[in-house]
Every structure is written in structure tokens, then in C-alpha cells.
Amino acid sequence: MLKILANDGMDSSAVKHLEDLGHKVVTEFHELDKLKQVINQYDVIVVRSATKVREELIDIMADGGKCKLVIRAGVGIDNIDHVYAESKGITVRNTPNSSSASVAELTIGHMFAISRFIGISNYTMRNGEWNKKQYKGVELAGKTLGLVGFGRISKEVAKRANALGMDVIYSEIMGEQEGYDEYRYVEFEELLKESDYISLHIPFIKEKGAAIGEKEIALMKDGVRIVNVARGGVVCEKSLLDALNSGKVAGAAIDVFEEEPTKNTELVNHPNVSVTPHIGASTKEAQKRIGIETYTTILEFFK
Ligand SMILES: NC(=O)c1ccc[n+]([C@@H]2O[C@H](COP(=O)([O-])OP(=O)(O)OC[C@H]3O[C@@H](n4cnc5c(N)ncnc54)[C@H](O)[C@@H]3O)[C@@H](O)[C@H]2O)c1
């Protein structure tokens, strides 16, 4: 029998599956101090983004010798000191395949929102306003969408954008991808210059800093719209806000923030911004798939 601590919770059908196989799953949230006391009772810890698995917790796990597997139920593993963990003999896995469709749909939803004043209309109408004349939007059809990074999520966005009649271009550090002739590979700088919409689908790497800052925004078309459902910090919030205020950027959609929960009220309250509180993977379907990918990983690991 395996003892599994799903510290940020786990889809109930995944819990049931593991329990039916005779394993014990605890889904209670433990703060770090408590977590340090109990971690060595478990074989596996599963986390989403709330629980941080930093060096001090990893040291306790390594000393205890029982908890050998950390699973991030999601994509980004920036809340886990994964290189350190691996150096201490603790395996770190994520569930990269489960949430792409959900994140892609949110991306497209945000693109509509910042093109048609959907968010701000909801807000102002509830205050009794009827701003019909102010809310003249733009169509997505016929516009160029620049995708930065061409991995799992980006490809799902590309498919949907293509179906909406957008021209899709992409930049990718691994170079042009085979089998995607309907989309055009371009250098990053060219993408910045050509796109009407720019959506980023890359990890945040602290040492590299923001992929989009003042310099990159200066190269973009006037009236460009920017979407960040990837990771906080990938787009520099200060540069983005300045560009929204100057009108250089006509709209921005943000699901992920430099600090979460964000305190950047000026950005959140900007009338040309559409925001969501890091809900890219928060759909019933994605959570179910994440649950399946999580237990499959656990069962494979201990086979
Ligand atoms: N909002 C959410 O809730 C949510 C949910 C899931 C994933 N994400 C984030 O979405 C991002 C993409 O996820 P994915 O599953 O598509 O990852 P992926 O690894 O499949 O794709 C990322 C791609 O970006 C490329 N890349 C990295 N840096 C680049 C750069 N500077 N320029 C161009 N290309 C670059 C990589 O080579 C890779 O092909 C991740 O940051 C992930 O954390 C967010």
C-alpha cells in the first residue's frame, strides 16, 4: 500500500481509483511547518501550485528516505526546486499533457474579450452604464496571431485560431517544427513586428527574465494585443502597463501574474485588460485528465 499526500487536493475520481487499488490518499492541505512534520509518513507528495517544495522540505524528505516522488499536478514546476530534488534522489514529475486544451480555450476566450470589450461591458452595465458607442471592437478573423513558443498549448491555440480565420505565425527556440505547414515559422523579432495579437506559451526562466519588456513592445505594431496565460514574469507587468497607458498596446489578457494573488491593481483595473486568477487548467475535464495522469505516473513509478 502506498501513502499519497495530495496536499493541494486531487480529483475525486483519481482518489477513488487509487483507494480501490488499496492505496491511502490524504487530500488535506498542510502548511509548510506541518508538512515538514508529516512528509516522511508518505511515499508520494502531489502538489498543484499552492504548495512550494523548496530545498528545506526536500532535505527532510531526503533524510527520511521514504518520500521519493513529487508530482506537480499541472505543467509548470517552478514551485518545486526540481534540480535540487533530483540531486537528492527524489524524482519530480508533472502532468504536461492534460491541460493544453483548457489553456488554449481560455487563451481564445481572452482574445475575444480584449477585442470586443466583453469584460468591461459586464462591469459597466452592472453599474447602470450603456456604453454602446465606446465599445467598437475588432474581429479576430484576418488578423495575424504570433505565438511565442510552439509546444503543446501553443499548437492547440494555433488550431483554434486557424479555424477562426486568423493567420498564425510562431517563433520557437527549437526552430521550425515539422508537419505544421499551415502556420509560418518566423524569428522572434519578426513575430513582434508582424503580429496583431501576441500570445506567449513558454516557461518563465528567472535567469532570462521577461520575454516581453519595453524593448520588445517598442518593436510591435501600434494597437497590438498581448495575451499571457503562460507564467507570471514572461511579460513584464510594468512595461505592459506603460504601453497600455500610452495606447501602444490596445488590449492585454492576463491569467498569470508576477505575484499571485496579484497586488497590481492598476493593471487589473485597466479598462483594456481582461484578467483571470490563474485558471488556465481549471476545468472539470482538465482536472479529471490530470488526476488520471497523476495516478498513472504514481503506479508506473512504483511498479
Ligand atoms: N495558465 C495556466 O493555468 C497554465 C496551465 C498550464 C500551463 N501553463 C503554462 O503554459 C506554458 C506552456 O506550456 P506547454 O505545456 O505548452 O509547454 P511546452 O513545453 O509543451 O511548450 C513550450 C515551448 O516553448 C518553447 N520555448 C521556451 N522558451 C522559448 C522562447 N523564449 N522563445 C520561443 N520558444 C520558447 C519550448 O522549446 C517549447 O517548445 C508553460 O509556461 C506552462 O507553465 C499555464
Side-chain angles (χ1 to χ4, degrees):
M1 180 195 73
L2 294 170
K3 281 190 78 183
I4 299 151
L5 175 59
N7 208 49
D8 300 323
M10 193 192 277
D11 183 71
S12 55
S13 53
V15 173
K16 185 172 180 313
H17 182 80
L18 286 162
E19 286 176 346
D20 286 350
L21 292 172
H23 305 300
K24 183 172 168 50
V25 185
V26 172
T27 54
E28 185 191 335
F29 177 76
H30 302 75
E31 294 287 356
L32 180 61
D33 281 345
K34 182 73 184 162
L35 194 53
K36 289 199 276 194
Q37 289 168 27
V38 302
I39 190 68
N40 285 325
Q41 298 167 20
Y42 293 93
D43 301 285
V44 187
I45 178 170
V46 181
V47 301
R48 289 179 176 152
S49 50
T51 302
K52 314 287 178 231
V53 184
R54 297 295 175 215
E55 290 186 6
E56 58 174 324
L57 184 65
I58 292 165
D59 282 339
I60 293 170
M61 291 160 69
D63 288 345
K66 182 167 168 70
C67 191
K68 289 276 183 208
L69 177 63
V70 181
I71 299 184
R72 159 74 166 108
V75 179
I77 50 171
D78 34 0
N79 56 322
I80 302 167
D81 287 339
H82 53 100
V83 176
Y84 188 74
E86 298 279 353
S87 79
K88 294 274 173 176
I90 293 162
T91 302
V92 177
R93 293 275 185 275
N94 61 351
T95 59
N97 303 307
S98 299
S99 52
S100 304
S102 294
V103 183
E105 287 191 7
L106 184 69
T107 305
I108 299 288
H110 268 308
M111 283 166 54
F112 278 121
I114 56 176
S115 304
R116 301 303 301 272
F117 300 96
I118 295 172
I120 189 83
S121 291
N122 272 279
Y123 179 76
T124 52
M125 281 188 75
R126 279 167 204 174
N127 286 334
E129 295 174 39
W130 184 263
N131 300 330
K132 187 175 163 77
K133 287 210 174 79
Q134 287 175 35
Y135 297 157
K136 185 182 277 175
V138 289
E139 293 179 350
L140 298 186
K143 301 295 187 309
T144 299
L145 169 64
L147 296 170
V148 181
F150 203 59
R152 286 172 292 253
I153 294 170
S154 203
K155 285 174 182 134
E156 292 298 316
V157 175
K159 247 194 278 177
R160 288 158 177 78
N162 194 34
L164 290 168
M166 301 188 85
D167 295 321
V168 178
I169 60 177
Y170 69 93
S171 69
E172 164 59 58
I173 44 167
M174 306 300 283
E176 184 166 3
Q177 304 288 291
E178 273 179 34
Y180 295 96
D181 294 344
E182 62 276 46
Y183 317 124
R184 190 159 51 90
Y185 168 78
V186 293
E187 293 296 328
F188 180 53
E189 204 172 302
E190 198 180 335
L191 180 143
L192 297 176
K193 289 178 182 164
E194 281 191 29
S195 303
D196 302 300
Y197 292 77
I198 295 176
S199 187
L200 297 105
H201 301 281
I202 58 176
F204 176 65
I205 297 165
K206 211 171 168 185
E207 298 71 38
K208 287 191 180 170
I212 302 289
E214 197 183 343
K215 191 166 82 50
E216 290 74 22
I217 291 174
L219 294 173
M220 295 176 191
K221 282 184 183 177
D222 291 343
V224 64
R225 289 175 169 80
I226 299 175
V227 182
N228 181 13
V229 299
R231 271 291 174 271
V234 161
V235 177
C236 167
E237 289 182 8
K238 187 188 175 305
S239 309
L240 180 62
L241 186 58
D242 288 346
L244 282 157
N245 285 334
S246 73
K248 170 82 185 177
V249 171
I254 315 156
D255 183 51
V256 286
F257 296 84
E258 288 171 1
E259 183 187 359
E260 295 184 2
T262 182
K263 296 190 183 75
N264 195 344
T265 49
E266 209 184 329
L267 183 62
V268 168
N269 288 311
H270 196 285
N272 297 337
V273 161
S274 172
V275 281
T276 41
H278 200 151
I279 56 163
S282 299
T283 62
K284 288 181 185 166
E285 294 85 352
Q287 290 309 314
K288 209 177 184 60
R289 286 191 297 264
I290 286 171
I292 295 169
E293 205 174 344
T294 300
Y295 71 60
T296 306
T297 304
I298 293 171
L299 298 175
E300 282 284 310
F301 185 84
F302 289 99
K303 204 160 60 179

